[in-house]
Amino acid sequence: MTDRPRAENRERNQPMPGSQDFTPDPRNDAVLALLDGQLVPAREAQVSLFDAGFGLGDGVWEGLRLHRGALLFLEAHLDRLYQGAAALRIDIGMTRAELTASLRELLRANGMEDGAHLRLMVTRGRKATINQDPRFTTGRSTIAVTAEFKRRPAAARPLALAMSSIRTSPPEIFDMHLNTHSRLNYIRALLDVMDTGADEAIMLDHRGFVASCNATNLFWVKDGTVFTSRDHFCFNGITRGNVIALCRDGAAPLRQGDWEAEHLLAADEVFVTGTMGGVTPAGSINDHALPASPGPVTTAIAQAYERLKDAYAEEHAIV
């Protein structure tokens, strides 16, 4: 059955729960975007029908969070962007310093200092015709950046998760460590569970072990220990990496490995990680309530992550 209340809430411009949810902000009606080096009204920005990103999902992207004047963990995001572009043989055409300067210009033009979210997108660019052959590209890559005022809802309830039949893939099939525009497998996973009222889908890897959610990385807690998958078949998440580092620095005991679904279903606490939501607790899996949400370990890790954000921003403010 379709989840009518959730759909009606969105139509009324009210926030819904979700790791990427946000409170609508009227300032976004007038924000500028960056398109191939030019500042343009975001509502008017356009790319060609023959752009490889539009026609083929041929590109890479990063989500960037503005916190207290700093784009959080920007160096790690740029590492992932340039590594992904190199793997796809896309020439970004800008140095890291030039790209960073353009992001700073966009933030200043929009008067953004905190609580904003950027989506930095690089595609192979315009093609002579829409086909899969990259040799039909006619010029340089397309670089587009959206900037929006976005904050998490203050009173969002914990996430409802559900197991999907759609699985993640090994790199020889589709490399999840490439942050590409092609997200169809993860969209399918969410569609698989969305009508049950779930906010996100839990995905197993191709071998049947817990891997990630469709848009975020997945952690769970049992008897005070944090568990998560190996690195191979989940997203190469910046927030995930920071949470793992915080655990290894003493926030909580951590174990990575191959875990069957039954291990996750017996968890005391569950949380997901992502650039937009940071550390977001889950409240149920397959409609079964978890014992604690957020539990003490999730709360401790979330607080440690907030301190990490603040410390980074203090040293790396760009606006």
Side-chain angles (χ1 to χ4, degrees), residues 60-176:
V60 290
W61 64 276
E62 290 294 323
L64 303 170
R65 192 85 189 130
L66 181 66
H67 178 70
R68 297 187 177 182
L71 290 172
L72 291 174
F73 317 115
L74 180 60
E75 299 86 353
H77 281 283
L78 291 180
D79 284 346
R80 189 170 65 179
L81 180 77
Y82 278 85
Q83 290 165 4
L88 298 178
R89 301 189 192 180
I90 294 175
D91 180 6
I92 293 178
M94 298 178 71
T95 66
R96 292 166 67 110
E98 290 169 339
L99 186 53
T100 300
S102 71
L103 297 176
R104 182 184 298 113
E105 180 186 9
L106 176 62
L107 293 172
R108 288 176 174 169
N110 282 316
M112 293 174 167
E113 297 180 354
D114 186 51
H117 193 79
L118 278 62
R119 191 175 181 94
L120 165 58
M121 299 167 278
V122 182
T123 78
R124 198 175 300 277
R126 185 163 180 161
K127 305 190 72 174
T129 187
I130 293 295
N131 62 23
Q132 295 181 33
D133 193 332
R135 291 169 292 190
F136 281 83
T137 306
T138 61
R140 59 184 301 170
S141 61
T142 297
I143 301 178
V145 190
T146 60
E148 299 171 282
F149 293 98
K150 273 188 177 182
R151 291 187 184 275
R152 292 273 293 148
R157 65 163 171 77
L159 301 179
L161 306 180
M163 289 281 186
S164 173
S165 62
I166 306 298
R167 300 198 173 191
T168 66
S169 55
E172 63 269 20
I173 296 176
F174 185 89
D175 191 350
M176 292 186 67

Side-chain angles (χ1 to χ4, degrees), residues 139-222:
R140 59 184 301 170
S141 61
T142 297
I143 301 178
V145 190
T146 60
E148 299 171 282
F149 293 98
K150 273 188 177 182
R151 291 187 184 275
R152 292 273 293 148
R157 65 163 171 77
L159 301 179
L161 306 180
M163 289 281 186
S164 173
S165 62
I166 306 298
R167 300 198 173 191
T168 66
S169 55
E172 63 269 20
I173 296 176
F174 185 89
D175 191 350
M176 292 186 67
H177 286 188
L178 295 176
N179 213 33
T180 69
H181 282 211
S182 180
R183 315 302 285 177
L184 188 57
N185 198 46
Y186 317 127
I187 294 169
R188 288 186 65 216
L190 182 56
L191 289 170
D192 190 36
V193 303
M194 195 168 61
D195 290 344
T196 70
D199 303 309
E200 284 205 35
I202 297 169
M203 302 177 71
L204 306 180
D205 66 27
H206 64 293
R207 304 165 304 156
F209 298 114
V210 177
S212 76
C213 289
N214 64 277
T216 56
N217 277 305
L218 181 64
F219 294 80
W220 61 100
V221 181
K222 185 65 178 176

Side-chain angles (χ1 to χ4, degrees), residues 231 241-254 256:
D231 298 334
N242 282 325
V243 165
I244 288 173
L246 287 170
C247 288
R248 289 175 175 163
D249 286 342
L254 172 76
Q256 284 186 260

